[in-house]
Amino acid sequence: DAGVIQSPRHEVTEMGQEVTLRCKPISGHDYLFWYRQTMMRGLELLIYFNNNVPIDDSGMPEDRFSAKMPNASFSTLKIQPSEPRDSAVYFCASSPTGQSAYTFGSGTRLTVV
Amino acid sequence: SQQGEEDPQALSIQEGENATMNCSYKTSINNLQWYRQNSGRGLVHLILIRSNEREKHSGRLRVTLDTSKKSSSLLITASRAADTASYFCATDTGTASKLTFGTGTRLQVTL
């Protein structure tokens, strides 16, 4: 398996633009997680899915953030409109169960100018 | 809010020495995991220890867990330059199937 695949690796966008981050989890993993990493706040869980269903989105900072998982092999995290404070590295991770090791993607470094 | 707090925040040692990192957490857990993150990369799982376990080994890694003190330690023996990375503990509280990560320890191993 190629691991968790995220795209793009880097994204630079202007404030107010829509940004879409993509993730392909490992096949057979029932759980998918979106995390955000910043120097100030560390790693924060934004949302997670179990069997494509959103379970906990309490970490999503604002209504500007939305996430979907239309099928077991694809998830998106969308920010609309983007703001400079959204600049961070966004990680997707997947896990076979909710209590086992996570496999992380390489992340998307988002810069909003 | 952070569940885990690593100590020290940064650690610099020479190759061949042992490195010890500590993690304290606040609430009861199902398991505790340690991850490594190289600069600019994603996190890589190192080891998982369950709440009913006290010690676990994997290669040069040794993890201990003291649930009465709500703390864990990660020992890397005979460190190598390639061990230079940030190390994070993460806890699964069991009430929800998600990990909460600590603040991390930056380890620098010099030749």
Side-chain angles (χ1 to χ4, degrees):
Chain A
D1 202 319
V4 175
I5 300 172
Q6 290 187 246
S7 64
R9 285 298 311 275
H10 302 274
E11 177 81 35
V12 180
T13 190
E14 290 186 345
M15 183 173 63
Q17 296 298 306
E18 176 180 298
V19 175
T20 300
L21 312 181
R22 297 173 176 80
C23 175
K24 177 178 167 48
I26 290 176
S27 177
H29 281 194
D30 289 340
Y31 285 79
L32 183 140
F33 306 85
W34 282 100
Y35 282 85
R36 177 172 70 176
Q37 186 177 36
T38 60
M39 290 293 292
M40 291 297 296
R41 301 175 68 88
L43 274 158
E44 303 174 277
L45 177 66
L46 300 177
I47 186 171
Y48 79 94
F49 296 82
N50 178 21
N51 291 322
N52 313 338
V53 176
I55 302 300
D56 184 351
D57 65 356
S58 60
M60 298 284 261
E62 298 169 36
D63 290 345
R64 299 184 296 106
F65 285 69
S66 63
K68 294 182 179 179
M69 192 165 186
N71 56 62
S73 59
F74 184 65
S75 176
T76 59
L77 178 67
K78 187 176 293 186
I79 308 172
Q80 165 65 16
S82 57
E83 297 182 3
R85 59 191 166 125
D86 301 331
S87 297
V89 181
Y90 291 80
F91 288 104
C92 175
S94 70
S95 175
T97 73
Q99 296 181 1
S100 51
Y102 289 12
T103 301
F104 278 80
S106 297
T108 295
R109 181 173 295 277
L110 173 65
T111 303
V112 183
V113 298
Chain B
S1 64
Q2 300 289 349
Q3 157 78 319
E5 295 283 339
E6 279 93 336
D7 170 55
Q9 287 190 328
L11 179 62
S12 183
I13 60 174
Q14 290 192 320
E15 202 172 47
E17 295 181 334
N18 295 342
T20 299
M21 288 158 266
N22 303 296
C23 168
S24 59
Y25 57 91
K26 298 172 185 173
T27 62
S28 297
I29 60 171
N30 271 345
N31 68 63
L32 185 144
Q33 304 183 30
W34 285 90
Y35 288 77
R36 183 187 74 228
Q37 183 180 32
N38 290 89
S39 181
R41 308 291 293 273
L43 283 79
V44 174
H45 178 259
L46 296 176
I47 200 163
L48 182 154
I49 187 166
R50 302 195 186 283
S51 60
N52 60 354
E53 297 175 311
R54 291 297 167 256
E55 188 171 311
K56 208 160 182 181
H57 297 256
S58 177
R60 294 184 296 112
L61 305 180
R62 172 178 169 255
V63 168
T64 61
L65 178 64
D66 187 334
T67 53
S68 67
K69 295 181 179 178
K70 291 187 171 57
S71 67
S72 174
S73 67
L74 170 67
L75 168 68
I76 304 174
T77 59
S79 63
R80 306 166 182 169
D83 295 327
T84 294
S86 291
Y87 292 82
F88 295 87
C89 68
T91 51
D92 165 17
T93 61
T95 56
S97 300
K98 60 184 182 181
L99 288 179
T100 303
F101 284 82
T103 51
T105 292
R106 286 194 315 279
L107 173 66
Q108 176 78 41
V109 182
T110 56
L111 296 172

